[in-house]
Amino acid sequence: MSAMPSVINRFIDYYAELDNQPPSALAGLYDAQAALIDPFGEHRGLFAIQRYFTHLLTNVEHCRFVIDAPVCDGHRFALTWTMNWSHPRIAGGETLALPGCSIVDVANDRVVLQRDYYDAGEMIYEHLPLLGWAVRSVKRRVRS
């Protein structure tokens, strides 16, 4: 029997309440040599991933994911999600929604590679005073 559903369930449970999860809980989900890649960088090894999550969640008031049904193929699954989050210094602390997706490789009932895709501009840059104006202007020009 495949361990895939177990990993997927743990993954979904962890991210569904990310702001209530201690970084130490990542050890139950990620392999010691796992890699997590997203628009902000590449993090190799469980310790680096835990450090990254600790940094990301510093001062975040709320961060939870609504995750759609995964698609599985062998030792890989993919899922789309919406991250609902708020930070007191971004967008006046209002809750923001960010859509994205993750492609996750699994071995031995642990995540060994996670690649997240989302718009970093939509997440952060568009909400910063001067930089936000520039990013939104570029997006408008591309759309027209």
Side-chain angles (χ1 to χ4, degrees):
M1 173 150 194
S2 171
M4 186 67 89
S6 172
V7 172
I8 294 171
N9 290 337
R10 291 193 329 269
F11 187 93
I12 290 171
D13 290 346
Y14 184 85
Y15 282 93
E17 294 194 34
L18 183 60
D19 55 357
N20 286 330
Q21 303 286 356
S24 61
L26 290 164
L29 183 59
Y30 290 85
D31 183 81
Q33 303 303 315
L36 187 149
I37 303 166
D38 70 7
F40 293 108
E42 189 170 319
H43 315 280
R44 295 207 170 268
L46 178 59
F47 179 73
I49 294 169
Q50 288 172 322
R51 187 176 53 228
Y52 180 55
F53 275 62
T54 299
H55 175 73
L56 280 179
L57 295 171
T58 300
N59 299 321
V60 168
E61 293 176 342
H62 174 83
C63 186
R64 298 187 180 207
F65 286 72
V66 175
I67 300 174
D68 299 316
V71 175
C72 303
D73 183 26
H75 294 285
R76 174 176 284 171
F77 67 92
L79 39 76
T80 56
W81 43 260
T82 301
M83 181 176 74
N84 297 296
W85 68 289
S86 65
H87 189 288
R89 291 183 284 165
I90 297 175
E94 73 178 77
T95 297
L96 302 170
L98 178 72
C101 71
S102 298
I103 299 174
V104 182
D105 291 345
V106 175
N108 300 318
D109 201 34
R110 295 280 191 267
V111 171
V112 294
L113 175 63
Q114 177 178 340
R115 179 87 190 229
D116 290 342
Y117 296 91
Y118 56 88
D119 184 343
E122 183 179 347
M123 180 182 186
I124 300 217
Y125 307 133
E126 289 180 26
H127 303 287
L128 301 176
L130 185 57
L131 188 56
W133 174 84
V135 171
R136 288 188 302 273
S137 294
V138 168
K139 283 186 167 186
R140 277 193 299 274
R141 284 185 176 175
V142 169
R143 281 193 299 259
S144 59

